Amino acid sequence: MYWFAVLANFDASGPAVFARATIQAFEKHEEDPVRKCFFSITRDEMNHEECCQRTIAKLWPGGPLDWTPVTDLEKAAHNNIGWLYHNGGRYWTGYSSAVGKYSLPVLFTSFMMGEMAASTLFRGMSSGTRHPVFSEMFQRIGRDESRHLQICMTILENEWPGLTDDVRSLITRQLRAGFVFLSMILWEPPEGFWELPPYFLDNHRVLMDHAREAGLGVLSYEEQAENWRVAMARIRAIVERWGIEFPAIPELDIEGVHVDFLDPEEIIPVF
Ligand SMILES: [Fe+2]
Ligand SMILES: [Fe+2]
């Protein structure tokens, strides 16, 4: 339940994020396929959110938050989920005010990073899980995410040739923002965007170990780091073709341009 509650922090924002982007595409008179791609991603994300919701309801009635914890482990889970959703709210506030400010290549590079992260995550989990229902769920969600990734790539191939240096450096910052935001589900939260109490991470590790031992397919800390590194290398290869510098990710020993302070309104990526 805890793992799905963490996932829901990302997947449950998907429908609203892409619905808002769909409206934005209409308002800016984007061409028809762009509008419809956004719409189809919105629909897929609704299904992903539904997967989280139904799994949580089945495993832990009242979850993620409408239940009273009794044991220490339950209290830790309940409290951590509360903190996650506090940050989910901050992400949404930032995203709503940012979406109108950014041009299509900036938005789509951020989405592309989210889709790369999501397809990587679900591919890893579908091969790791020992439960047939979760295996099929992760495979199907992973397939959707790969399709979203391809949609983003197709749109970016059209948008990137007109890039200016200003936009390029904005994208570099966005890639760092994507790492900071998405690491919560792919790996562990780095310093930056996340507002969390000091005990969060210790409790998170214990809870994730439970999910791992239950056969959900949660990769080990090192496997997660390696997966994330590989996904990042793919993104790097794509963006560098267009003269976009990659940010430094010291957490994963990835060299690049130093990106300092990120404020919440710079966080765009989503699953
Ligand atoms: Fe997606
Ligand atoms: Fe998704």
Side-chain angles (χ1 to χ4, degrees), residues 199-218:
Y199 54 81
F200 178 93
L201 193 54
D202 287 336
N203 288 347
H204 182 73
R205 286 180 178 157
V206 171
L207 289 154
M208 280 298 164
D209 276 339
H210 279 282
R212 207 169 268 130
E213 281 159 24
L216 188 61
V218 181

Side-chain angles (χ1 to χ4, degrees), residues 114-130:
E115 307 300 359
M116 185 72 88
S119 49
T120 303
L121 174 77
F122 290 110
R123 204 176 318 115
M125 303 239 347
S126 68
S127 59
T129 182
R130 299 196 298 273

